[in-house]
Amino acid sequence: MNSLQGKTIIVTGGNSGVGAATAIKLAKLGANVVISARRVGALEEVANKITQEGGSVLVVATDISKNADCV
């Protein structure tokens, strides 16, 4: 896979499971990762893993099933 250096990628459901693993992998490949989900504590845990490994991450607590959260 090509380097994702300089790219920004949004991962919904980035607080656990496939979403968290995807966010961590994308950050390792050089992407700036935005992770979103409803559980802030779990998002922060994933963000800490990413930053500890030198990645760039932004946490956005949101519920994508609510229109007001997606504006």
Side-chain angles (χ1 to χ4, degrees), residues 21-39:
T22 300
I24 292 167
K25 180 67 174 182
L26 292 169
K28 286 180 181 178
L29 293 172
N32 301 309
V33 181
V34 179
I35 54 175
S36 72
R38 293 176 293 172
R39 294 181 294 138

Side-chain angles (χ1 to χ4, degrees), residues 4-61:
L4 297 174
Q5 201 70 32
K7 305 290 184 183
T8 300
I9 301 173
I10 301 170
V11 179
T12 59
N15 62 339
S16 64
V18 173
T22 300
I24 292 167
K25 180 67 174 182
L26 292 169
K28 286 180 181 178
L29 293 172
N32 301 309
V33 181
V34 179
I35 54 175
S36 72
R38 293 176 293 172
R39 294 181 294 138
V40 178
L43 282 171
E44 292 294 342
E45 289 178 22
V46 175
N48 286 338
K49 288 179 186 176
I50 291 171
T51 56
Q52 286 174 357
E53 295 181 11
S56 172
V57 63
L58 173 66
V59 171
V60 179

